[in-house]
mmCIF file of all heavy atoms in Angstrom:
data_model
loop_
_atom_site.group_PDB
_atom_site.id
_atom_site.type_symbol
_atom_site.label_atom_id
_atom_site.label_comp_id
_atom_site.label_asym_id
_atom_site.label_seq_id
_atom_site.Cartn_x
_atom_site.Cartn_y
_atom_site.Cartn_z
ATOM 1 N N LYS A 86 -4.467 -8.562 11.532
ATOM 2 C CA LYS A 86 -5.101 -8.416 12.843
ATOM 3 C C LYS A 86 -4.073 -8.532 13.956
ATOM 4 O O LYS A 86 -4.154 -7.797 14.942
ATOM 5 C CB LYS A 86 -6.192 -9.493 12.977
ATOM 6 C CG LYS A 86 -7.452 -9.186 12.230
ATOM 7 C CD LYS A 86 -8.481 -10.340 12.472
ATOM 8 C CE LYS A 86 -9.737 -10.095 11.695
ATOM 9 N NZ LYS A 86 -10.751 -11.149 11.989
ATOM 10 N N HIS A 87 -3.223 -9.492 13.808
ATOM 11 C CA HIS A 87 -2.175 -9.710 14.832
ATOM 12 C C HIS A 87 -1.293 -8.475 14.981
ATOM 13 O O HIS A 87 -0.976 -7.991 16.089
ATOM 14 C CB HIS A 87 -1.329 -10.951 14.524
ATOM 15 C CG HIS A 87 -0.233 -11.158 15.465
ATOM 16 N ND1 HIS A 87 -0.391 -11.617 16.738
ATOM 17 C CD2 HIS A 87 1.136 -10.922 15.340
ATOM 18 C CE1 HIS A 87 0.795 -11.669 17.353
ATOM 19 N NE2 HIS A 87 1.741 -11.247 16.525
ATOM 20 N N GLU A 88 -0.882 -7.915 13.862
ATOM 21 C CA GLU A 88 -0.063 -6.736 13.871
ATOM 22 C C GLU A 88 -0.816 -5.546 14.503
ATOM 23 O O GLU A 88 -0.202 -4.768 15.284
ATOM 24 C CB GLU A 88 0.436 -6.370 12.470
ATOM 25 C CG GLU A 88 1.516 -5.327 12.505
ATOM 26 C CD GLU A 88 2.209 -5.167 11.119
ATOM 27 O OE1 GLU A 88 2.040 -5.996 10.224
ATOM 28 O OE2 GLU A 88 2.945 -4.186 11.003
ATOM 29 N N ILE A 89 -2.043 -5.384 14.189
ATOM 30 C CA ILE A 89 -2.858 -4.318 14.780
ATOM 31 C C ILE A 89 -2.949 -4.487 16.316
ATOM 32 O O ILE A 89 -2.710 -3.561 17.056
ATOM 33 C CB ILE A 89 -4.260 -4.270 14.117
ATOM 34 C CG1 ILE A 89 -4.164 -3.759 12.691
ATOM 35 C CG2 ILE A 89 -5.190 -3.414 14.953
ATOM 36 C CD1 ILE A 89 -5.391 -3.872 11.860
ATOM 37 N N ARG A 90 -3.276 -5.697 16.710
ATOM 38 C CA ARG A 90 -3.392 -5.944 18.165
ATOM 39 C C ARG A 90 -2.056 -5.677 18.875
ATOM 40 O O ARG A 90 -2.012 -5.187 19.971
ATOM 41 C CB ARG A 90 -3.861 -7.400 18.448
ATOM 42 C CG ARG A 90 -5.268 -7.657 18.147
ATOM 43 C CD ARG A 90 -5.713 -9.030 18.613
ATOM 44 N NE ARG A 90 -5.013 -10.113 17.926
ATOM 45 C CZ ARG A 90 -5.485 -10.846 16.992
ATOM 46 N NH1 ARG A 90 -6.749 -10.715 16.568
ATOM 47 N NH2 ARG A 90 -4.767 -11.800 16.429
ATOM 48 N N THR A 91 -0.943 -5.943 18.177
ATOM 49 C CA THR A 91 0.365 -5.753 18.778
ATOM 50 C C THR A 91 0.660 -4.261 19.041
ATOM 51 O O THR A 91 1.259 -3.918 20.009
ATOM 52 C CB THR A 91 1.453 -6.318 17.851
ATOM 53 O OG1 THR A 91 1.225 -7.758 17.700
ATOM 54 C CG2 THR A 91 2.809 -6.155 18.464
ATOM 55 N N HIS A 92 0.171 -3.374 18.157
ATOM 56 C CA HIS A 92 0.555 -1.967 18.227
ATOM 57 C C HIS A 92 -0.513 -1.002 18.626
ATOM 58 O O HIS A 92 -0.208 0.147 18.974
ATOM 59 C CB HIS A 92 1.081 -1.539 16.857
ATOM 60 C CG HIS A 92 2.288 -2.338 16.418
ATOM 61 N ND1 HIS A 92 3.528 -2.188 16.981
ATOM 62 C CD2 HIS A 92 2.454 -3.255 15.416
ATOM 63 C CE1 HIS A 92 4.348 -3.020 16.404
ATOM 64 N NE2 HIS A 92 3.747 -3.668 15.431
ATOM 65 N N VAL A 93 -1.769 -1.385 18.617
ATOM 66 C CA VAL A 93 -2.833 -0.427 18.808
ATOM 67 C C VAL A 93 -2.824 0.210 20.186
ATOM 68 O O VAL A 93 -3.165 1.423 20.287
ATOM 69 C CB VAL A 93 -4.206 -1.034 18.454
ATOM 70 C CG1 VAL A 93 -4.675 -2.005 19.513
ATOM 71 C CG2 VAL A 93 -5.224 0.040 18.276
ATOM 72 N N VAL A 94 -2.512 -0.444 21.262
ATOM 73 C CA VAL A 94 -2.493 0.157 22.598
ATOM 74 C C VAL A 94 -1.443 1.225 22.670
ATOM 75 O O VAL A 94 -1.736 2.369 23.125
ATOM 76 C CB VAL A 94 -2.304 -0.870 23.681
ATOM 77 C CG1 VAL A 94 -2.132 -0.219 25.047
ATOM 78 C CG2 VAL A 94 -3.455 -1.863 23.760
ATOM 79 N N GLN A 95 -0.201 0.950 22.193
ATOM 80 C CA GLN A 95 0.829 1.976 22.247
ATOM 81 C C GLN A 95 0.491 3.204 21.394
ATOM 82 O O GLN A 95 0.647 4.309 21.805
ATOM 83 C CB GLN A 95 2.138 1.336 21.737
ATOM 84 C CG GLN A 95 3.306 2.296 21.765
ATOM 85 C CD GLN A 95 3.450 3.060 20.431
ATOM 86 O OE1 GLN A 95 3.122 2.557 19.370
ATOM 87 N NE2 GLN A 95 3.857 4.288 20.480
ATOM 88 N N ILE A 96 -0.122 2.891 20.205
ATOM 89 C CA ILE A 96 -0.517 4.054 19.319
ATOM 90 C C ILE A 96 -1.622 4.821 19.989
ATOM 91 O O ILE A 96 -1.597 6.123 19.949
ATOM 92 C CB ILE A 96 -0.929 3.497 17.910
ATOM 93 C CG1 ILE A 96 0.341 2.954 17.215
ATOM 94 C CG2 ILE A 96 -1.632 4.553 17.125
ATOM 95 C CD1 ILE A 96 0.023 2.217 15.950
ATOM 96 N N MET A 97 -2.587 4.205 20.600
ATOM 97 C CA MET A 97 -3.681 4.911 21.264
ATOM 98 C C MET A 97 -3.093 5.831 22.360
ATOM 99 O O MET A 97 -3.480 6.989 22.464
ATOM 100 C CB MET A 97 -4.651 3.933 21.887
ATOM 101 C CG MET A 97 -5.791 4.636 22.681
ATOM 102 S SD MET A 97 -6.776 3.410 23.560
ATOM 103 C CE MET A 97 -5.695 2.994 24.930
ATOM 104 N N MET A 98 -2.131 5.297 23.143
ATOM 105 C CA MET A 98 -1.646 6.045 24.250
ATOM 106 C C MET A 98 -0.778 7.209 23.844
ATOM 107 O O MET A 98 -0.663 8.234 24.572
ATOM 108 C CB MET A 98 -0.876 5.120 25.236
ATOM 109 C CG MET A 98 -1.720 4.082 25.871
ATOM 110 S SD MET A 98 -3.188 4.756 26.678
ATOM 111 C CE MET A 98 -2.518 5.866 27.787
ATOM 112 N N SER A 99 -0.157 7.158 22.679
ATOM 113 C CA SER A 99 0.760 8.209 22.273
ATOM 114 C C SER A 99 0.007 9.303 21.422
ATOM 115 O O SER A 99 0.520 10.328 21.037
ATOM 116 C CB SER A 99 1.942 7.651 21.488
ATOM 117 O OG SER A 99 1.509 7.050 20.311
ATOM 118 N N ALA A 100 -1.283 9.026 21.065
ATOM 119 C CA ALA A 100 -2.060 9.888 20.236
ATOM 120 C C ALA A 100 -2.613 11.091 20.999
ATOM 121 O O ALA A 100 -2.847 10.994 22.224
ATOM 122 C CB ALA A 100 -3.158 9.112 19.589
ATOM 123 N N PRO A 101 -2.861 12.194 20.316
ATOM 124 C CA PRO A 101 -3.535 13.325 21.011
ATOM 125 C C PRO A 101 -4.940 12.898 21.425
ATOM 126 O O PRO A 101 -5.519 11.952 20.912
ATOM 127 C CB PRO A 101 -3.595 14.408 19.865
ATOM 128 C CG PRO A 101 -2.659 13.940 18.801
ATOM 129 C CD PRO A 101 -2.509 12.490 18.955
ATOM 130 N N PRO A 102 -5.513 13.605 22.457
ATOM 131 C CA PRO A 102 -6.777 13.164 23.022
ATOM 132 C C PRO A 102 -7.914 12.920 22.009
ATOM 133 O O PRO A 102 -8.608 11.881 22.129
ATOM 134 C CB PRO A 102 -7.184 14.319 23.999
ATOM 135 C CG PRO A 102 -5.792 14.857 24.368
ATOM 136 C CD PRO A 102 -4.936 14.777 23.170
ATOM 137 N N LYS A 103 -8.130 13.809 21.025
ATOM 138 C CA LYS A 103 -9.265 13.564 20.082
ATOM 139 C C LYS A 103 -8.978 12.395 19.227
ATOM 140 O O LYS A 103 -9.929 11.682 18.805
ATOM 141 C CB LYS A 103 -9.432 14.829 19.207
ATOM 142 C CG LYS A 103 -10.011 15.996 19.993
ATOM 143 C CD LYS A 103 -10.217 17.181 19.081
ATOM 144 C CE LYS A 103 -10.752 18.348 19.832
ATOM 145 N NZ LYS A 103 -10.990 19.607 19.014
ATOM 146 N N VAL A 104 -7.762 12.131 18.859
ATOM 147 C CA VAL A 104 -7.414 10.942 18.078
ATOM 148 C C VAL A 104 -7.515 9.688 18.965
ATOM 149 O O VAL A 104 -7.993 8.663 18.534
ATOM 150 C CB VAL A 104 -5.983 11.100 17.482
ATOM 151 C CG1 VAL A 104 -5.556 9.848 16.789
ATOM 152 C CG2 VAL A 104 -5.912 12.321 16.620
ATOM 153 N N ARG A 105 -7.098 9.806 20.213
ATOM 154 C CA ARG A 105 -7.136 8.692 21.138
ATOM 155 C C ARG A 105 -8.516 8.129 21.283
ATOM 156 O O ARG A 105 -8.737 6.946 21.403
ATOM 157 C CB ARG A 105 -6.551 9.152 22.484
ATOM 158 C CG ARG A 105 -6.426 7.986 23.519
ATOM 159 C CD ARG A 105 -5.877 8.473 24.829
ATOM 160 N NE ARG A 105 -4.578 9.060 24.600
ATOM 161 C CZ ARG A 105 -4.144 10.105 25.312
ATOM 162 N NH1 ARG A 105 -4.913 10.692 26.202
ATOM 163 N NH2 ARG A 105 -2.924 10.602 25.101
ATOM 164 N N VAL A 106 -9.536 8.998 21.334
ATOM 165 C CA VAL A 106 -10.887 8.548 21.476
ATOM 166 C C VAL A 106 -11.273 7.602 20.353
ATOM 167 O O VAL A 106 -11.942 6.614 20.568
ATOM 168 C CB VAL A 106 -11.864 9.829 21.539
ATOM 169 C CG1 VAL A 106 -13.346 9.370 21.422
ATOM 170 C CG2 VAL A 106 -11.639 10.596 22.813
ATOM 171 N N GLN A 107 -10.919 7.975 19.114
ATOM 172 C CA GLN A 107 -11.271 7.180 17.957
ATOM 173 C C GLN A 107 -10.575 5.827 18.037
ATOM 174 O O GLN A 107 -11.197 4.806 17.740
ATOM 175 C CB GLN A 107 -10.929 7.921 16.627
ATOM 176 C CG GLN A 107 -11.616 9.195 16.441
ATOM 177 C CD GLN A 107 -13.178 9.066 16.350
ATOM 178 O OE1 GLN A 107 -13.636 8.112 15.849
ATOM 179 N NE2 GLN A 107 -13.849 10.003 16.910
#
Side-chain angles (χ1 to χ4, degrees):
K86 286 180 180 182
H87 176 74
E88 192 169 348
I89 288 170
R90 286 188 298 256
T91 301
H92 300 290
V93 71
V94 172
Q95 179 273 325
I96 290 171
M97 179 189 72
M98 295 309 301
S99 63
K103 288 182 181 179
V104 175
R105 185 179 301 143
V106 169
Q107 300 297 325

